[in-house]
Amino acid sequence: MIYFDNSATTQPYPEVLDSFMKVSQRYFGNPSSLHSLGAEAEKLLSQSRKQAADLLGVRENEVFFTSGGTEGNNLAIKGAAVKHSKRGRHIISTAVEHPSVKEALEQIREELDFEITYLGVDEEGRISLEELVQALRPDTILVSIMHVNNETGTIQPIEEAGAILSKYPKVLFHVDHVQGAGKVRLDIQRCKIDLLTLSSHKVHGLKGNGILYIRNGVQISPLFAGGSQESRFRSGTENVAGIVAMARALRITMTDMDIKTEEIDRIRKRIRDGISSMDSVSMNTPSDGSAPHILNFSVPGINTEVVVRALQEREIFVSTTSACSSKKKASSSTVLAMFKDSRRADSTLRISLSSQNTMEEAEHFISAAEDILTNLREVMR
Ligand SMILES: Cc1ncc(COP(=O)(O)O)c(C=O)c1O
């Protein structure tokens, strides 16, 4: 099998599964319990928090465990909106965010009477910093910009945006780092980020775990009220085994990260060269300023769902758009925002790699893709 759908999810590392099993069996106590079983679980929780904080270059008391990227993004956005709505009801984001950002914003627009400015992107999928400056208003309370786009891999200018926003101390800065984690370095402190979302299953951890970084002093309202876990930001008994597994996944992913991402980039370059030489293929992922693991291209006029199925018959797994859109037969909203071309946005294919992929897999994929596309064109003729 060749698994090229790592932006949808990654295969958990064996060590991650091992940690999950061990902690589930031996340390099943509730970390809030007073007895020793609870204390053991609580100790594991704080060790994991410290490990995650060290890896992210932040303080332990700035790491809050969540159920994943969707919750982290909702907590950051709705939590900021509810907490600061008396000060202002304007938020700035981009036209290419993941649905867990976009739909959260649309919900507060409809239900809490917020105004949302969506910054457009250029043909590389990048926002303009001048437009960001122009969009800021006295009633802006939050700016939410993703680090790495989940469909095309485009990297947004987070550090530059952070520098601009540092001149507006009342405006919170949220970054969806779900696709960037372990692939593109991001200095949370230097980028002046207030809130940052991570998801475990995108870095070979398990589904149902994530982190929201909340900078010390930043105030947001919780989505879940209850037993005051996670310093009241996120009530609910912690998934200790999943959290320990996540810290381990993050550690393995970030060990020798530069060497791993260089190799991933080499594999992607080979696929890019192989695909670019095929008939009527348009590359959507920019050649500069994109994360190493994602390659998105369009084959206008071809039903790419058929291509995905034909590749699957050869045990090669890729996707058309993002996993959440592909089942709805939606076209790529990111590619549409970039090129304003629905034919191009309707015919995308996304390859997404991890450090578990090899150059041989890339060669195998290129010849399979060439074969399938040639056959399809002949059938259509
Ligand atoms: C950029 C981005 N943000 C958020 C999410 C949601 O994360 P989760 O699947 O952990 O809810 C995803 C998942 O695909 C993503 O790619």
Side-chain angles (χ1 to χ4, degrees), residues 7-8 67-71 73 98 100-101 146 148-150 176 178-179 197-202 208-209 322-324:
S7 288
S67 67
T70 299
E71 185 189 326
N73 285 340
H98 185 267
S100 56
V101 166
M146 75 195 323
V148 167
N149 184 270
N150 51 304
D176 176 351
V178 168
Q179 292 291 343
T197 307
L198 274 173
S199 171
S200 181
H201 74 102
K202 309 285 184 179
N209 285 103
S322 60
C324 11

Side-chain angles (χ1 to χ4, degrees), residues 46-314:
S46 13
Q47 281 171 356
S48 304
R49 204 182 303 279
K50 177 161 179 11
Q51 272 178 17
D54 289 348
L55 289 165
L56 298 174
V58 301
R59 294 179 198 91
E60 280 164 67
N61 64 357
E62 296 175 317
V63 170
F64 298 88
F65 296 123
T66 65
S67 67
T70 299
E71 185 189 326
N73 285 340
N74 272 266
L75 176 55
I77 290 165
K78 292 177 186 168
V82 169
K83 190 76 190 176
H84 301 289
S85 62
K86 290 201 184 79
R87 205 157 46 70
R89 288 173 189 252
H90 178 239
I91 295 179
I92 300 170
S93 189
T94 83
V96 292
E97 297 296 314
H98 185 267
S100 56
V101 166
K102 218 180 279 175
E103 295 304 320
L105 289 170
E106 283 305 296
Q107 198 183 347
I108 57 172
R109 186 176 65 77
E110 277 168 29
E111 293 174 17
L112 297 179
D113 212 17
F114 266 72
E115 248 186 88
I116 319 287
T117 301
Y118 293 103
L119 304 173
V121 293
D122 60 17
E123 290 204 345
E124 298 205 322
R126 215 160 286 121
I127 58 159
S128 133
L129 293 164
E130 288 76 48
E131 274 175 35
L132 169 62
V133 173
Q134 279 160 16
L136 285 159
R137 310 190 323 205
D139 60 342
T140 307
I141 58 146
L142 173 73
V143 172
S144 179
I145 303 174
M146 75 195 323
H147 179 212
V148 167
N149 184 270
N150 51 304
E151 292 186 48
T152 61
T154 300
I155 304 171
Q156 296 296 349
I158 298 298
E159 190 170 342
E160 293 82 347
I164 292 168
L165 295 174
S166 66
K167 297 186 198 113
Y168 299 80
K170 287 195 164 170
V171 178
L172 294 176
F173 184 24
H174 168 243
V175 174
D176 176 351
H177 184 45
V178 168
Q179 292 291 343
K183 303 295 190 317
V184 182
R185 290 201 180 276
L186 187 70
D187 186 327
I188 298 178
Q189 312 280 357
R190 204 173 59 215
C191 294
K192 315 274 186 217
I193 294 167
D194 295 305
L195 299 151
L196 173 131
T197 307
L198 274 173
S199 171
S200 181
H201 74 102
K202 309 285 184 179
V203 290
H204 307 274
L206 299 168
K207 290 156 192 74
N209 285 103
I211 288 173
L212 181 66
Y213 157 80
I214 307 177
R215 191 170 58 74
N216 271 344
V218 167
Q219 297 293 317
I220 58 169
S221 292
L223 295 180
F224 305 160
S228 303
Q229 287 92 344
E230 298 300 296
S231 313
R232 286 180 192 272
F233 280 122
R234 204 276 182 184
S235 286
T237 303
E238 297 90 343
N239 174 355
V240 182
I243 290 167
V244 173
M246 170 166 63
R248 194 153 191 201
L250 261 182
R251 183 155 54 81
I252 300 173
T253 299
M254 294 177 84
T255 304
D256 298 327
M257 178 175 145
D258 295 335
I259 299 171
K260 288 180 197 155
T261 51
E262 246 174 60
E263 178 58 14
I264 296 174
D265 203 25
R266 232 166 53 82
I267 299 174
R268 181 179 67 157
K269 187 167 184 315
R270 175 68 195 106
I271 300 177
R272 188 183 193 108
D273 290 346
I275 295 290
S276 300
S277 65
M278 292 176 201
D279 257 3
S280 28
V281 166
S282 317
M283 269 306 147
N284 299 320
T285 294
S287 41
D288 284 326
S290 62
H293 63 305
I294 300 179
L295 187 70
N296 188 307
F297 56 93
S298 296
V299 202
I302 292 274
N303 181 343
T304 43
E305 280 183 29
V306 176
V307 180
V308 169
R309 287 205 199 94
L311 284 166
Q312 183 196 278
E313 274 169 28
R314 301 175 188 219

